Each structure stands twice: as structure tokens, then as C-alpha cells.
Amino acid sequence: MAGKVKWVTDIEKSVLINNFEKRGWVQVAENEDWNFYWMSVQTIRNVFSVETGYRLSDDQIVNHFPNHYELTRKDLMVKNIKRYRKELEKEGSPLAEKDENGKYLYLDFVPVTYMLPADYNLFVEEFRKNPSSTWIMKPCGKAQGKGIFLINKLSQIKKWSRDSKTSSFVSQSTKEAYVISLYINNPLLIGGKKFDLRLYVLVSTYRPLRCYMYKLGFCRFCTVKYTRSTSELDNMFVHLTNVAIQKHGEDYNHIHGGKWTVSNLRLYLESTRGKEVTNKLFDEIHWIIVQSLKAVAPVMNNDKHCFECYGYDIIIDDKLKPWLIEVNASPSLSSSTASDRVLKYGLVSDTLNIAVPGGMVPDCRWNKSPPKEVLGNYEILYDEELAQGDGADRELRTRSSQSLGSKGGRSRDPGRTISTSWK
């Protein structure tokens, strides 16, 4: 289709606007005809709402799936992963195999988690099995570390309950839903400090599932050295890596923003732990991401007008086991440093090249399988059609079985997952 792409955004970030302008796209108002709308999660609710929503035309594309929250709300993500495990168990899939203690061999990648207030009694039962454990409480619908706190006593939950102006855990409606997860209290430390990984994953379609991994993720470090001391449970500069929290710390470095690139982390791990275990760690991370997307794919509203760039938060423990902490629907596009800005500008640019091929007026009926040369710093992580098709590239299949193939000598998802080890 001829003509220039007409764009709207309700997220006033320069990395977005500069990308649109560089392409010669034309800005229009929300109530005018538009082709591309990079919108907040609040706006997407209105676009697809039964009451106020409207029908999108074939030349309109938006940057969220209608019910993205099935993956990006902390409680729903866990619920969907638990459901996925049970379904695989029923099917007798080897992926759902458990060890002698009843732990999943391959699908144990989210910390033990309960919903509060709904699962309060189950949580208490679990807590009493190991009363010295630390748990982390997070409001389901908030981001940037807001409302998070750690507990190691049941009395702290009771105090939270009273502070929330309700004396019982019965009524869901009177109280904001929280998740409570077993705290990973043995994180891998670098320079004595805790960090997590922020990785970007683009999903162009859920059925068939096609997703891409961005090579230029980063680590976010705490500003204060990690300690398991209970006296520091309330010190979020020790425990939470969110930049929104760490930037208020006395030791926050405004030049590097407390961040490392993923390639720096890889180099560090290769030199301290060896190349083989480093490759295995990154393959495990790829595995986690693909399985989390497979878990939500059946319930996701796979609207042809949508794509999504998720921000995955992964924590690595001191045994080099990665854990999925949460997935963000609107990963921050704010730039805290110069290198941050370069990364995020490139992320948006590469995302647009896949979502709106050729920078032309979109047609949501296209097959959503762009050629390799437009991927930029994205690499294909999983392509369901390619993985199932007889004509799948032999090299990709080989790499798949090497990278995500075996754990304890068993093939996890033979020939299905396309993964690449980043150098």
C-alpha cells in the first residue's frame, strides 16, 4: 500500500519519537486515522474493551496483545505456568518429569509462589515446613519495585493484613492481590552485589508461536552489597535491582547506571566459571523464555493487529540456575545513561523493522516472518511452524538439540526449539 505510516503514541519517549521521525512517518492525533499506535497498557485496555473498544482495520498495528496480562501480571503468569505443567503431566510428556522429591526436572524455573489472600492457608503450610525461609511480597498490578517487601515471620503477614485495613484473608475484593514467592536468597553475586538480567523478547504471533530474542540485554546491579542478615530485610538497596529504586541510593553511579551489558556478563562468567557452563546457563535462559511463552499461548488472544516486546527479568543463583522473576509488558524506554539510550533506540528500531516491514503502511494479513537481514540485533528464538515443518533448516535443528537438548541425558523438546548461543 502506498502512502506514509501515520503514527500515534501516548508514551512520550524520545527513543520512540526519533525512530518514527527517522522513518519519515507522520504524527497524527489519536482520534484521526492512524496506522501504528505505540500505546501504554492502560490504552490497550480501552482499544480492546467490550464497551469502548473499536474494530481495527487491516492497516492498523498496535504494540500489545489484548490480554498481554496473562503473562505480565505476576499472579497470572504463575497460574498459567502451573496450568501448563499440569497439562504436560496429563499428556505424559517427558518435559513434566519430576525427581524423587516431586520437583520438576525441566520446568522448575519460577520460585514457589502463592497468591494472597486466596492461597493464604497453603502459604502458611509451606512456610511452616521451613520457618527460617525468607519470602518476597509483591502487589500483582504494580511495577518498578513499588509495594514490594520481604518477610521471614508469619506475624509480618498478619501486620500487613491489619495495615491493609482488613482482618481476614477471606474477601478478595477488599484487598489488593499480592503474590508471595520464596526469595532467592543465594543469588549469584558480582563484586558482592546482587543483580538481575533484563532481556527483551519480541513476539510477532502466538499461534503459531514466533518469538525473537534481543542480543543486547543488560544486568541491573544493586548499589549496596548483598547480605542475608535479617537486619537488612527492609533495605531495598540490598535486595531490589529496579533502577527506579536504586537511582535514589547514595552509591548510585549516574555514568554507568549500575548496569552491565549481557556480553560483559558472559565474558565475566566464561573467565570465572568456564565457557561450557556459561553457554549452558544462557541456553537455560532461552529455554525458560520459550516455555513461559508456550504456557500462555493457548490463552492469549492472538489478534493479528498485535505484536509485543516484553522485558524479561531473570535472576541467576550461585549454582548458575536461572529463575524467571517476572515479565514486563512495557519495559522502560527511559534512558538513565548514554549507552542506555543507544540500546533502547536500537531496540525500538529493530522492533519496528520486524513489526512494520519496510516501514510501509502495515497490512496485518502479511505472514509475519521477515527475512533475516531485517532482524538487526534480534535472533529468532522459536518458530513453531519452522520447528514442526519437515523442511526446517538442518543446522537450526542441530543447534536446537545441542543448546536445549539434554539435561541428565534426556532430550527436552527435541527438534522443536530454535535457540542460538550469543557470543
Side-chain angles (χ1 to χ4, degrees):
M1 291 171 77
K4 288 194 171 177
V5 174
K6 291 180 260 186
W7 64 271
V8 190
T9 185
D10 59 354
I11 300 173
E12 295 294 317
K13 296 292 177 194
S14 61
V15 293
L16 281 175
I17 293 160
N18 292 351
N19 261 298
F20 302 147
E21 289 174 346
K22 180 193 167 196
R23 286 165 167 71
W25 292 2
V26 180
Q27 184 172 14
V28 294
E30 189 184 349
N31 56 2
E32 296 179 84
D33 282 339
W34 52 265
N35 306 116
F36 186 91
Y37 197 150
W38 190 293
M39 57 180 68
S40 64
V41 290
Q42 291 78 15
T43 306
I44 201 78
R45 280 189 205 115
N46 299 332
V47 168
F48 288 107
S49 124
V50 178
E51 296 82 29
T52 59
Y54 54 92
R55 190 181 175 84
L56 295 176
S57 58
D58 283 345
D59 64 354
Q60 290 183 308
I61 286 187
V62 296
N63 64 315
H64 293 293
F65 287 92
N67 60 337
H68 62 84
Y69 45 79
E70 293 285 353
L71 180 63
T72 58
R73 250 186 79 109
K74 300 170 185 76
D75 53 344
L76 295 179
M77 178 190 85
V78 171
K79 184 183 117 186
N80 283 312
I81 289 170
K82 285 179 178 176
R83 192 204 66 249
Y84 176 62
R85 288 167 172 168
K86 285 203 175 96
E87 283 169 1
L88 288 173
E89 254 181 282
K90 273 186 203 160
E91 291 166 16
S93 167
L95 298 188
E97 196 179 332
K98 294 178 176 176
D99 66 14
E100 60 278 6
N101 300 317
K103 258 195 171 179
Y104 288 98
L105 287 174
Y106 311 124
L107 296 173
D108 176 38
F109 56 80
V110 287
V112 176
T113 299
Y114 297 97
M115 318 309 162
L116 293 183
D119 296 339
Y120 178 67
N121 293 334
L122 287 171
F123 160 69
V124 170
E125 199 179 310
E126 185 65 32
F127 184 91
R128 286 186 172 140
K129 285 183 198 166
N130 189 0
S132 60
S133 53
T134 299
W135 295 74
I136 184 164
M137 280 195 67
K138 302 177 182 180
C140 292
K142 290 201 173 105
Q144 299 186 318
K146 291 179 187 131
I148 295 178
F149 59 96
L150 276 62
I151 66 129
N152 61 352
K153 295 187 183 77
L154 282 178
S155 58
Q156 290 159 309
I157 291 258
K158 286 170 181 153
K159 180 182 184 302
W160 165 77
S161 172
R162 283 196 303 277
D163 289 349
S164 306
K165 306 204 169 32
T166 176
S167 56
S168 82
F169 283 85
V170 178
S171 172
Q172 181 84 37
S173 60
T174 57
K175 186 164 184 36
E176 183 179 13
Y178 270 68
V179 291
I180 187 160
S181 302
L182 192 59
Y183 185 60
I184 307 296
N185 68 355
N186 62 325
L188 177 67
L189 304 177
I190 296 179
K193 291 173 182 174
K194 179 181 171 179
F195 68 95
D196 73 354
L197 277 175
R198 163 56 60 87
L199 301 172
Y200 299 102
V201 177
L202 173 63
V203 176
S204 57
T205 164
Y206 270 102
R207 288 190 296 281
L209 178 59
R210 188 175 293 119
C211 56
Y212 305 84
M213 188 95 202
Y214 201 62
K215 287 185 275 184
L216 308 180
F218 53 88
C219 310
R220 303 178 297 187
F221 282 83
C222 289
T223 51
V224 177
K225 287 195 171 182
Y226 180 76
T227 172
R228 291 194 195 188
S229 165
T230 53
S231 64
E232 292 290 350
L233 274 192
D234 294 334
N235 187 345
M236 292 301 116
F237 297 125
V238 170
H239 298 288
L240 297 187
T241 58
N242 309 69
V243 174
I245 287 171
Q246 292 297 332
K247 68 182 180 185
H248 299 295
E250 287 173 25
D251 301 313
Y252 182 71
N253 183 311
H254 290 272
I255 297 165
H256 59 62
K259 290 177 179 173
W260 257 20
T261 62
V262 164
S263 52
N264 273 356
L265 174 67
R266 190 183 261 283
L267 285 171
Y268 171 81
L269 290 173
E270 284 178 0
S271 63
T272 54
R273 302 290 189 104
K275 197 160 187 169
E276 195 179 326
V277 294
T278 303
N279 286 342
K280 181 174 178 288
L281 166 66
F282 279 90
D283 292 339
E284 290 281 320
I285 290 170
H286 300 167
W287 162 258
I288 285 174
I289 291 167
V290 171
Q291 294 308 310
S292 67
L293 292 170
K294 283 185 172 186
V296 299
V299 297
M300 199 61 76
N301 183 341
N302 187 48
D303 193 293
K304 62 185 179 179
H305 303 91
C306 307
F307 69 93
E308 191 119 28
C309 178
Y310 295 105
Y312 268 74
D313 291 347
I314 305 274
I315 280 186
I316 304 164
D317 69 22
D318 59 10
K319 297 183 178 72
L320 288 201
K321 175 177 168 66
W323 296 90
L324 174 57
I325 301 304
E326 62 184 82
V327 183
N328 297 270
S330 288
S332 169
L333 293 176
S334 301
S335 308
S336 52
T337 65
S339 56
D340 217 19
R341 179 180 162 68
V342 170
L343 182 150
K344 286 169 181 174
Y345 179 86
L347 171 71
V348 171
S349 179
D350 291 344
T351 300
L352 294 178
N353 288 343
I354 295 172
V356 191
M360 310 296 288
V361 171
D363 182 345
C364 68
R365 295 166 299 183
W366 74 294
N367 74 0
K368 299 199 176 189
S369 186
K372 257 184 198 168
E373 51 271 23
V374 307
L375 298 186
N377 278 305
Y378 276 111
E379 287 186 318
I380 188 134
L381 182 61
Y382 184 80
D383 185 328
E384 193 170 7
E385 275 187 325
L386 191 61
Q388 290 175 344
D390 291 331
D393 185 286
R394 192 179 295 277
E395 185 202 345
L396 287 176
R397 280 182 177 275
T398 308
R399 289 183 90 172
S400 158
S401 58
Q402 285 169 348
S403 62
L404 290 179
S406 61
K407 187 171 183 182
R410 292 177 185 275
S411 176
R412 293 172 172 184
D413 201 359
R416 295 287 305 275
T417 305
I418 296 160
S419 175
T420 50
S421 292
W422 308 331
K423 301 294 179 262

